[in-house]
Amino acid sequence: MNELPDIRPARVEDTDACADILNDWIDGRDWMPRVHTPQAVRDFYRDFVFPRRDLYVAGEPPVGFMALDRDEDFVTALYVAEPGRGLGKRFLDFAKAGRAVLRLWTFQANLAAQAFYKREGFVEERRTDGENEEALPDVLLRWEAA
């Protein structure tokens, strides 16, 4: 197994790479609607996510990223270019460090993500019928430190 890249705080010049990882993820799922153009996603990461969230990346150029709302102990985004290599776990371990609680949303259709988060100690808190801009059913997950 190749060594995983270190996690570091993102720089503004990393935001296009983060958005592109997300855009590739969106386009790779037949159940996921494209609500925003790829450029609009890039603009959102540069203009909203970067200044308002704690954004972390791994790799040069980034091959994965995580956005945290520190005040709410909430993972607002976690995407890796090549799932299944351990980078997602590394991001979650990083996010869990020093926290008592961590929450995140995932889509109900994203069964692989739900299985991953369950393995990482998250439990289901509640479900919705699609109270998000994609209008897709989702699930709120919660992790608590032991």
Side-chain angles (χ1 to χ4, degrees):
M1 176 187 234
N2 294 335
E3 187 173 323
L4 294 173
D6 291 332
I7 295 171
R8 62 170 174 80
R11 301 180 294 263
V12 70
E13 58 266 22
D14 296 321
T15 60
D16 280 353
C18 294
D20 290 346
I21 291 167
L22 175 55
N23 280 319
D24 289 347
W25 183 87
I26 291 167
D27 293 339
R29 272 124 200 101
D30 59 1
W31 53 265
M32 184 69 182
R34 171 141 312 267
V35 178
H36 303 286
T37 66
Q39 185 59 51
V41 174
R42 282 178 155 208
D43 294 344
F44 178 75
Y45 268 80
R46 183 192 62 242
D47 299 338
F48 181 84
V49 176
F50 182 77
R52 291 180 177 88
R53 301 283 187 253
D54 291 343
L55 185 61
Y56 297 95
V57 298
E60 291 283 346
V63 294
F65 73 94
M66 175 179 63
L68 291 169
D69 182 332
R70 178 183 4 158
D71 296 333
E72 299 292 328
D73 291 324
F74 221 94
V75 176
T76 60
L78 173 55
Y79 294 92
V80 297
E82 296 182 23
R85 301 180 67 200
L87 189 54
K89 177 177 175 29
R90 181 176 276 184
F91 274 119
L92 279 184
D93 289 346
F94 182 88
K96 289 174 181 177
R99 287 187 170 80
V101 173
L102 194 61
R103 286 187 175 93
L104 57 84
W105 287 98
T106 191
F107 295 107
Q108 289 183 33
N110 196 348
L111 299 177
Q114 288 180 61
F116 165 68
Y117 293 127
K118 183 178 180 181
R119 284 192 308 272
E120 295 306 312
F122 284 78
V123 296
E124 185 176 318
E125 193 166 295
R126 73 181 176 100
R127 289 177 176 247
T128 77
D129 291 330
E131 300 167 5
N132 51 59
E133 68 181 349
E134 297 87 0
L136 292 175
D138 53 7
V139 56
L140 177 63
L141 300 173
R142 175 187 176 105
W143 169 87
E144 291 187 33

